[in-house]
Amino acid sequence: VRRLNLATLRWVTMPSFLLAREDHACCTVRGALVVLGGDTLGGEFTSSVEMLSKGEGAFTALPPLSCGGILDAAAVTVDESGSVAGQVLLLEGRKDDDQGGTSTVHLVDLATGVCTPWPNLLCAREGFAAARLPQGCVVCAGGLDN
């Protein structure tokens, strides 16, 4: 894991994930880096969630996603007042039981791992980017559709 210091324009090494993975989703929640799902490098989709809090020297495990393993998804921080650990909007890319992208969207409570269904994307996607705009909406761009 690396981070770019914008003041010095130098990359800095950060602690490693607890579970080696690729094609995961990540975002910041309350100043902490949150990593969700991905491929365990052994070809298995994971539902694991990890958090690196500001000033901490290692990632910590959070409850796994109740919606199962995901890959090629996007995560966006949303209103965090409804959870002890914060909430993330998870726009799912691929599921373990699916060969292509999905249109599924879940609100994830990081304190419990509970995934609550939200309205689906307009079309199935995987490997896309998502961002929350100041107006309170989320934009999705790029990736692959079915």
Side-chain angles (χ1 to χ4, degrees):
V1 180
R2 310 280 189 272
R3 109 177 151 241
L4 176 63
N5 181 323
L6 294 175
T8 64
L9 298 180
R10 293 184 186 263
W11 288 96
V12 178
T13 301
M14 297 175 65
S16 297
F17 296 144
L18 298 173
L19 176 66
R21 63 183 81 206
E22 63 185 3
D23 300 325
H24 52 278
C26 66
C27 63
T28 58
V29 177
R30 299 180 183 168
L33 176 63
V34 176
V35 179
L36 305 101
D39 183 334
T40 64
L41 308 180
E44 294 189 28
F45 292 22
T46 182
S47 61
S48 79
V49 180
E50 301 179 20
M51 178 183 277
L52 178 64
S53 297
K54 188 175 182 179
E56 294 295 319
F59 279 89
T60 57
L62 296 179
L65 300 167
S66 67
C67 50
I70 54 106
L71 181 76
D72 292 332
V76 178
T77 305
V78 294
D79 178 20
E80 304 171 34
S81 61
S83 169
V84 173
Q87 295 176 316
V88 170
L89 195 62
L90 184 62
L91 302 103
E92 296 182 18
R94 290 193 292 161
K95 301 287 298 169
D96 342 89
D97 59 355
D98 184 38
Q99 294 299 319
T102 71
S103 59
T104 307
V105 177
H106 283 104
L107 180 67
V108 178
D109 183 337
L110 295 175
T112 63
V114 171
C115 300
T116 303
W118 269 37
N120 286 347
L121 297 171
L122 295 177
C123 64
R125 313 259 344 134
E126 63 179 289
F128 59 94
R132 182 176 176 183
L133 299 178
Q135 304 90 325
C137 57
V138 174
V139 63
C140 299
L144 303 170
D145 59 10
N146 291 342

